[in-house]
Amino acid sequence: MRITVVENEAGAGLGAFAGWLADSGAECEVVRPYLGEPIPPRARDGLIVLGGTSAAWEDERFPWLPETRALI
């Protein structure tokens, strides 16, 4: 199983999810849009969108948010 993970800012990692996912044998594809990595058009077998300081409507400050909402 491959999980797409959208990490919205440095330091907002998987936390407890990392161990659970590793124990399940899942592989994570971590996307870091704050570093310029593109949001994929589709998630793999699952999707985790991590939090951060951005609000969902702050598209001007965080230009990847519309693509993240479309992915969800």
Side-chain angles (χ1 to χ4, degrees):
M1 179 174 14
R2 300 179 107 192
I3 307 294
T4 301
V5 178
V6 178
E7 181 182 280
N8 283 299
E9 65 182 41
L14 283 167
F17 285 113
W20 297 333
L21 292 166
D23 290 347
S24 75
E27 295 178 36
C28 291
E29 173 189 52
V30 180
V31 179
R32 296 173 178 91
Y34 60 92
L35 295 178
E37 297 177 2
I39 300 291
R42 296 190 58 148
R44 299 287 187 147
D45 298 317
L47 175 65
I48 297 173
V49 178
L50 300 172
T53 58
S54 66
W57 59 85
E58 292 186 284
D59 295 354
E60 290 179 17
R61 287 184 57 207
F62 306 95
W64 61 86
L65 290 178
E67 291 176 354
T68 302
R69 289 191 300 270
L71 177 62
I72 292 170

